[in-house]
Amino acid sequence: MRIAYRPCYPTVIAVVLVSAIAASAADQTVVLKAARMFDGKSKSLIPNGVVVVQGDKIVDVGSNLAGPAGAKMIDLGDATLSPGFMDAHTHLTLDFSGDFNKRRLEQLDLNVSEQAIKAVGYARTTVEAGFTTVRDVGSRFVSSREFVDVALRNAINKGVIVGPRMLVATKGIGATGGHFDPTGGFRDFLFGREPDYTDGIANGPDEIRKAVRFEVKNGADVIKAAVSGGVLSLADEVDTPQFTPAEMTALVDESHRLRKKVAVHCHGDQAAREAIEAGVDSIEHGSFMKPETVALMKKKGTFLTPTLMAAEYIVGKIESYPPALQAKARAAYNARSQMFRNALKMGVKVSFGTDAAVFPHGQNAKEFALMTGLGMAPIDALKAATSNDAELLGISEKVGTLEKGKVADIVAVPGDPMTDITATERVSFVMKEGKVIRNGPPTAQTAGASADDPNSAAPVD
Ligand SMILES: [Zn+2]
């Protein structure tokens, strides 16, 4: 009997060992502990926050919880745990933060593959700043058909590179000569052809439907459109409408039929009113919206993504922009504070979005202090960047709160963000899908990865 069984032992032991190792790698339990916790939805912070993570999921959350025996403990001390931050308005494949004129010239000889390699750094910088999810609303390169945002999203999902979860819009959709026309401001026919739906440029309801279908075909998770003029474009006025109501209706209908949300770049009041009536999911910027239009948003449940950082950054170095853009930037900047206060007063749903790329990537959290500076309660600013964004992006089932069963996207900031909201700019711990991305200072290579980089592409803001 002994002789008969003996050869089996090593095999049995090996099988048991291998499965034990596999189980521990996949289901390693980690207990995160900090002096405070923001759970993404409560009206105040919870003292002595504890989050228990197993694999990529949160398995328990509470105050003063004792973690299971044998779990790995990460005690973050005098810090505040929060759901990973989200930014509903980024352009991770681009960087407009350098000199405007230099960039405009350099985009003509920029190799798009080179820009894609730079974007890998922007993605890492962003997630290391605590932004574990972004909605990336426009990635275009004049006279190029590349979908760099789709490639970036896929590479992150496959674990090839480190970055935030991305919902991408591909090129975005706009009118001929409008804010998204990549040839706007260049002499006619410089690029050999007028841009068409394959560049996101569409006119008339049918062509807009075609552009939506083309972008979804190529990997868009969300549809972005420019329905009014913009700041960083040379051939349009900042507040004029760029789509007719019939075009906006087609845009929203076709996107919603394909189960995609619609985010519209819009500064002007008339365009905003028509877009809200057409049923868009969010107004991006919204600078010149009158109180009646803001009230309409409240009634329809439309989100406002204020992107306060964008105008703030541009106005901070206004002399470096061409005079026409300076005037547009000043006008938008002067109008937006009252508009934002009106939105707060009326209880409009506010999402957190920054327009990262207009300013160097990784500075997204500066938006928090701008929001509270205009009267938003710090806890509401944190909600905007977590549960509100999750709702707008349609991913609340998965992320946005610290709750049992949610994906473990968790960050920590030093101290108490209710007394100093700028603590969000000093994120000290980042976990995405249960994996620790950083616990301590950011990696050296990411610091300044996008600082005033002049190389970029056509304007999207
Ligand atoms: Zn933008």
Side-chain angles (χ1 to χ4, degrees):
M1 287 296 272
R2 277 178 64 201
I3 290 165
Y5 275 109
R6 194 175 287 156
C8 298
Y9 286 150
T11 317
V12 171
I13 291 165
V15 166
V16 168
L17 273 178
V18 165
S19 42
I21 291 165
S24 70
D27 305 326
Q28 154 102 68
T29 302
V30 179
V31 177
L32 301 175
K33 211 173 135 182
R36 288 157 227 91
M37 176 170 72
F38 169 62
D39 65 6
K41 54 187 181 162
S42 298
K43 286 186 164 51
S44 55
L45 301 187
I46 296 156
N48 301 314
V50 176
V51 186
V52 183
V53 175
Q54 195 172 41
D56 65 347
K57 294 268 168 27
I58 295 172
V59 293
D60 213 351
V61 186
S63 183
N64 285 314
L65 279 186
K72 183 184 172 193
M73 169 77 75
I74 302 179
D75 188 345
L76 297 160
D78 182 20
T80 303
L81 290 165
S82 165
F85 299 144
M86 300 187 208
D87 188 329
H89 193 127
T90 66
H91 304 280
L92 285 193
T93 63
L94 302 167
D95 184 359
F96 320 131
S97 66
D99 181 83
F100 181 88
N101 288 318
K102 223 168 134 191
R103 175 190 59 76
R104 191 168 150 73
L105 191 64
E106 282 176 354
Q107 67 173 309
L108 302 179
D109 64 15
L110 174 75
N111 183 322
V112 176
S113 304
E114 186 186 333
Q115 185 64 24
I117 291 167
K118 288 181 180 181
V120 173
Y122 305 156
R124 184 182 260 278
T125 305
T126 302
V127 76
E128 290 207 358
F131 289 80
T132 50
T133 301
V134 302
R135 185 176 66 163
D136 208 66
V137 286
S139 170
R140 65 173 71 231
F141 307 90
V142 66
S143 233
S144 158
R145 298 190 61 171
E146 294 300 320
F147 289 89
V148 179
D149 56 350
V150 173
L152 198 63
R153 175 198 67 193
N154 294 352
I156 292 167
N157 287 348
K158 289 173 186 165
V160 178
I161 58 169
V162 176
R165 173 181 304 98
M166 292 178 76
L167 279 80
V168 305
T170 73
K171 292 154 197 286
I173 299 172
T176 292
H179 179 60
F180 276 1
D181 187 333
T183 64
F186 289 107
R187 76 170 158 74
D188 184 33
F189 241 60
L190 179 63
F191 302 98
R193 69 176 176 90
E194 193 58 21
D196 62 19
Y197 75 95
T198 62
D199 307 284
I201 300 306
N203 300 283
D206 286 351
E207 213 170 75
I208 285 169
R209 287 185 191 272
K210 193 171 176 182
V212 170
R213 291 170 182 170
F214 177 78
E215 296 195 348
V216 173
K217 171 187 171 186
N218 283 288
D221 302 299
V222 55
I223 295 300
K224 167 85 178 296
V227 302
S228 94
V231 174
L232 296 185
S233 45
L234 287 163
D236 58 347
E237 291 182 43
V238 66
D239 61 343
T240 51
Q242 297 188 339
F243 277 147
T244 63
E247 288 174 319
M248 291 194 210
T249 300
L251 171 82
V252 173
D253 182 58
E254 194 60 36
S255 303
H256 285 176
R257 287 161 70 93
L258 298 177
R259 299 206 182 95
K260 306 299 175 200
K261 302 234 186 181
V262 183
V264 292
H265 158 105
C266 182
H267 288 283
D269 182 66
Q270 182 189 338
R273 204 167 57 239
E274 291 168 356
I276 297 160
E277 290 284 13
V280 300
D281 298 285
S282 63
I283 296 283
E284 312 289 306
H285 319 304
S287 313
F288 301 100
M289 285 194 295
K290 292 179 181 157
E292 309 85 85
T293 309
V294 175
L296 186 63
M297 288 185 90
K298 168 70 182 166
K299 194 176 138 210
K300 298 269 281 181
T302 317
F303 272 93
L304 170 67
T305 312
T307 67
L308 303 173
M309 263 299 277
E312 199 73 21
Y313 182 82
I314 293 170
V315 166
K317 46 177 255 179
I318 193 114
E319 302 305 330
S320 69
Y321 293 90
L325 301 197
Q326 290 185 24
K328 296 206 282 184
R330 278 204 184 94
Y333 180 83
N334 291 337
R336 66 103 197 261
S337 301
Q338 192 52 48
M339 179 283 297
F340 184 71
R341 286 196 186 96
N342 290 341
L344 290 183
K345 206 161 59 191
M346 293 185 206
V348 167
K349 292 199 272 191
V350 176
S351 45
F352 182 105
T354 64
D355 222 346
V358 169
F359 58 89
H361 293 286
Q363 298 184 14
N364 317 55
K366 288 185 176 175
E367 183 85 10
F368 284 110
L370 296 176
M371 290 169 117
T372 58
L374 289 176
M376 193 175 212
I379 198 95
D380 290 335
L382 290 181
K383 260 183 220 165
T386 54
S387 50
N388 285 14
D389 269 7
E391 184 191 340
L392 171 60
L393 272 56
I395 52 174
S396 309
E397 297 281 292
K398 231 172 118 177
V399 288
T401 55
L402 299 180
E403 282 178 291
K404 211 169 163 173
K406 292 273 170 92
V407 171
D409 284 4
I410 304 163
V411 299
V413 303
D416 182 350
M418 296 302 98
T419 53
D420 178 8
I421 194 69
T422 68
T424 53
E425 297 167 26
R426 298 181 292 279
V427 162
S428 54
F429 174 86
V430 181
M431 172 182 271
K432 185 186 158 216
E433 291 164 3
K435 292 193 187 77
V436 176
I437 287 182
R438 85 179 172 89
N439 184 5
T443 54
Q445 66 164 59
T446 67
S450 78
D452 268 19
D453 182 344
N455 284 330
S456 187
V460 181
D461 170 52

